[in-house]
Amino acid sequence: MVRRFKETEGRYIVKILGQDRLAFAHSDTNDFYDLIEWSKAGGYQGSILMFFDFDSGNVYKPFTKKRNVVYSNPVYVGGFYYFLQGDYDEKKIILYRYIPEKSLEKVTELRTEKVNLYNLRIIGDSVHIISQEDSFECYYPERISFPMEGKETVIFMEDDKIYFETWVEEGWDDEKGCATDQYNYYHKVITRDYKGNTLSEEVGSIYQASDGTWWIA
């Protein structure tokens, strides 16, 4: 049997990791950094963040569309759904804590000139606001900054440790532009402290299960 949500708009929905109740979708694919480019073209129409409830079939929209406003992907931590709202006119990045039909609470706000909007997002396992480009930057709940490698991606933070993934490609023939018989592509997990010192490095890829636990595969 195929079920339908109470609102169907043809959106591609993504399940929020760490729980089984909600998925989400954006009304378009723009992110915080895009607001800078849009401002040069006269502004941006705005986007909507939607939550899709597998239990009730309801679709929740915490905010209506507003010009020059975009949202991050939500995360689920400690029984709440967290997301960022970026308002280019107000020059603010606001962190919200949300439970559909129960609560919508502002947690903190940051000035846009104080953060790097490129790859700005929330990660767990407790809530951290970060960005990553040439360096890792954490803005909330504490300030952390150190250089990082170009192939690395921050996955989550827990117990004063930061977990990165990086990809490795072996056996590629640059001259011929193709894989050799020895070709191998895989990921590594790198753990660092808050000063950027490497604590451990191992072959693996990090995955978060529906119950919120983290696994290395």
Side-chain angles (χ1 to χ4, degrees):
M1 179 182 70
V2 177
R3 301 177 61 184
R4 286 177 172 80
F5 289 101
K6 294 178 182 179
E7 295 181 39
T8 55
E9 301 179 7
R11 306 293 183 188
Y12 180 79
I13 67 173
V14 178
K15 185 180 176 182
I16 302 171
L17 297 176
Q19 53 84 63
D20 288 317
R21 178 186 174 188
L22 298 183
F24 75 94
H26 296 281
S27 58
D28 64 29
T29 58
N30 285 281
D31 60 24
F32 300 119
Y33 189 78
D34 293 323
L35 289 177
I36 298 174
E37 297 303 315
W38 274 107
S39 68
K40 300 174 184 177
Y44 166 62
Q45 64 170 323
S47 66
I48 301 173
L49 176 62
M50 294 159 278
F51 293 85
F52 295 79
D53 193 327
F54 291 113
D55 292 339
S56 65
N58 290 330
V59 179
Y60 303 103
K61 301 173 183 178
F63 293 96
T64 58
K65 182 186 287 188
K66 181 181 176 183
R67 189 168 181 80
N68 293 325
V69 172
V70 297
Y71 297 89
S72 71
N73 293 345
V75 301
Y76 179 77
V77 178
F80 291 90
Y81 300 88
Y82 292 84
F83 61 89
L84 297 174
Q85 179 192 69
D87 190 321
Y88 192 79
D89 291 337
E90 297 293 329
K91 299 295 187 290
K92 292 179 180 179
I93 301 292
I94 303 173
L95 173 65
Y96 284 98
R97 181 166 59 196
Y98 179 57
I99 299 179
E101 299 184 328
K102 290 185 178 181
S103 66
L104 177 62
E105 177 185 1
K106 181 192 293 186
V107 178
T108 192
E109 66 178 51
L110 305 169
R111 300 298 299 176
T112 53
E113 66 267 21
K114 299 293 185 179
V115 302
N116 183 355
L117 296 178
Y118 190 77
N119 285 329
L120 184 71
R121 62 191 179 98
I122 308 169
I123 61 171
D125 206 22
S126 58
V127 175
H128 293 78
I129 302 175
I130 71 158
S131 65
Q132 52 184 347
E133 192 173 11
D134 297 327
S135 63
F136 168 74
E137 306 287 343
C138 179
Y139 308 102
Y140 173 88
E142 57 190 304
R143 193 72 175 90
I144 304 168
S145 177
F146 56 80
M148 59 183 289
E149 300 294 332
K151 296 179 181 180
E152 295 179 350
T153 301
V154 181
I155 306 299
F156 75 106
M157 300 171 65
E158 181 183 54
D159 299 330
D160 298 327
K161 298 177 182 177
I162 308 171
Y163 291 80
F164 294 77
E165 266 193 8
T166 186
W167 56 271
V168 180
E169 188 176 41
E170 299 172 337
W172 181 264
D173 190 323
D174 291 326
E175 184 177 336
K176 295 181 179 179
C178 65
T180 68
D181 290 343
Q182 289 74 44
Y183 182 79
N184 190 20
Y185 178 91
Y186 58 94
H187 289 86
K188 284 185 176 181
V189 176
I190 302 170
T191 307
R192 292 194 172 95
D193 63 21
Y194 283 5
K195 294 183 179 180
N197 299 311
T198 299
L199 304 176
S200 66
E201 182 175 329
E202 62 180 300
V203 173
S205 182
I206 299 178
Y207 174 80
Q208 187 180 21
S210 295
D211 63 359
T213 57
W214 295 87
W215 295 78
I216 296 180

